[in-house]
Amino acid sequence: MLLRFGKTTLFFGRRRSIAAYYCSSAAILSLGRYTTAAATTTSSLLSSLSTPHHHKQHRKMTNLTFQQIIPTPHTNATNANTAASTSTPLPRSSHGLSIIHNGSLLVLYGGEHIARTPIHNPSQVLWLAKRMNGTESWQWIAPTTNDAITPPSRVAHAQAAVGNTIYIFGGRNGIEMGENAMNDMWMLTLHDETTTTATITAKWTQINASSNDTPSDVLPEARSFHKMIAIGSNLYMFGGCGAASGRLNDLWKFDTLTHKWTNLGVSHVLRGRGGPNILSLAHDEKIGIVGGFAGEETNDGHVYGISSSSDGVGSWEEE
């Protein structure tokens, strides 16, 4: 799982650790390229996406360093509200990872520990990693929950943060690709009791979304392996594996203030795909879609221009 925060890209995988990759440009890990030569290739691709063809620029990536973050185990794993059986997260994939509170709190949610099987253990679904006292010391935290309302467990959902609020959409609760796919939207708020102890309370709220389109109950198809990004107070979600339609190439906008979806149309360049990267380009004025699995691994891309009009509906670029 890759997560960009400023000039830092964060990764959490099956080794229970978090690694932070610092680079001179935020685009370097967009396709998971870890060598200097591959980083240059990735930069060229993103440059071609965000720059008109007659003004193409090729930027070379430099100064790539790696720093592994290994949070200390959770020290209060016997809390009755968490019923935590272990003090660290299970190794996993197809999960969500967000960073909030000015880079001091990582939010890890969902995923699979056994192939294609969502993690169902309540003590393992949601974990936090907190940077303690403004230092480089991190600690795993199993948050307490103040009510019984929680999302169904899921794998391959989309996750993004608006300010310090986490949003998750979709994913699936079953083993097969179309089994128990979902199109629900949930909001997670976290209350940090203190900066000196590892006590954080989590609250989940399900959002009853509607649509700006007609009819108003036309919502994004249930799906998994899609991607979502936050720009301002809006969430933009692309692609994935639909429960009814197979691989998807549609783009949707969700307004977190009005709780309404807007269908921004399908890409006429990209085939339907799961696992694409979705990126903010040109000072949040454009969205770039790069790569993903469309029956085969891909490295193509397409750009959507965000409109400044009141309806927020822009357009896909020609190429």
Side-chain angles (χ1 to χ4, degrees):
M1 175 66 199
L2 295 178
L3 169 69
R4 194 186 81 186
F5 180 74
K7 292 186 178 180
T8 302
T9 298
L10 295 149
F11 166 86
F12 178 87
R14 284 189 165 269
R15 293 187 177 271
R16 304 190 188 189
S17 61
I18 296 173
Y21 303 98
Y22 298 94
C23 56
S24 58
S25 173
I28 197 166
L29 290 179
S30 298
L31 291 176
R33 312 300 193 190
Y34 302 124
T35 64
T36 301
T40 302
T41 301
T42 304
S43 175
S44 299
L45 173 59
L46 289 173
S47 177
S48 67
L49 286 176
S50 58
T51 307
H53 290 285
H54 58 285
H55 287 135
K56 286 185 180 179
Q57 298 177 0
H58 299 284
R59 304 184 184 97
K60 183 178 180 180
M61 302 296 181
T62 57
N63 301 325
L64 175 64
T65 59
F66 296 83
Q67 178 183 345
Q68 187 175 25
I69 300 171
I70 305 178
T72 58
H74 182 56
T75 57
N76 188 28
T78 59
N79 186 293
N81 289 330
T82 62
S85 57
T86 59
S87 57
T88 57
L90 288 169
R92 67 190 68 196
S93 58
S94 304
H95 50 283
L97 184 66
S98 300
I99 186 166
I100 57 176
H101 290 300
N102 296 318
S104 64
L105 191 66
L106 295 171
V107 182
L108 171 68
Y109 176 76
E112 54 189 333
H113 174 63
I114 300 172
R116 301 184 304 280
T117 303
I119 296 173
H120 293 289
N121 185 339
S123 69
Q124 278 294 332
V125 173
L126 176 64
W127 280 91
L128 311 174
K130 181 180 180 180
R131 188 170 62 190
M132 306 303 291
N133 302 322
T135 68
E136 292 304 314
S137 176
W138 292 74
Q139 181 177 353
W140 285 118
I141 300 173
T144 59
T145 54
N146 57 8
D147 53 47
I149 301 175
T150 58
S153 57
R154 63 195 64 206
V155 62
H157 66 285
Q159 179 172 322
V162 176
N164 291 324
T165 302
I166 307 297
Y167 292 85
I168 67 167
F169 175 78
R172 70 173 194 269
N173 188 250
I175 295 177
E176 299 301 325
M177 187 61 67
E179 185 180 359
N180 295 337
M182 296 173 280
N183 68 342
D184 52 346
M185 177 72 78
W186 289 79
M187 178 175 69
L188 173 65
T189 54
L190 298 163
H191 179 62
D192 195 345
E193 304 292 343
T194 175
T195 58
T196 58
T197 61
T199 304
I200 297 179
T201 302
K203 179 179 176 59
W204 287 101
T205 303
Q206 186 171 10
I207 297 175
N208 295 317
S210 60
S211 174
N212 278 321
D213 301 321
T214 301
S216 61
D217 60 349
V218 176
L219 303 176
E221 180 178 336
R223 66 190 69 200
S224 57
F225 292 101
H226 47 297
K227 290 297 176 68
M228 186 164 69
I229 190 174
I231 298 178
S233 61
N234 294 320
L235 301 171
Y236 293 86
M237 185 267 295
F238 179 82
C241 301
S245 305
R247 298 187 184 98
L248 301 167
N249 62 345
D250 53 347
L251 180 67
W252 291 77
K253 177 177 76 74
F254 181 78
D255 189 325
T256 62
L257 301 179
T258 64
H259 294 175
K260 289 188 176 183
W261 285 102
T262 301
N263 187 347
L264 302 180
V266 301
S267 168
H268 59 272
V269 171
L270 303 179
R271 292 171 287 166
R273 61 196 58 205
N277 281 281
I278 181 168
L279 307 164
S280 169
L281 303 173
H283 304 289
D284 290 343
E285 294 180 358
K286 296 182 179 182
I287 296 171
I289 311 296
V290 183
F293 185 80
E296 59 186 359
E297 302 295 345
T298 65
N299 64 354
D300 53 353
H302 199 190
V303 167
Y304 183 91
I306 300 174
S307 172
S308 59
S309 61
S310 59
D311 61 5
V313 178
S315 61
W316 290 98
E317 294 191 354
E318 290 300 317
E319 298 182 19

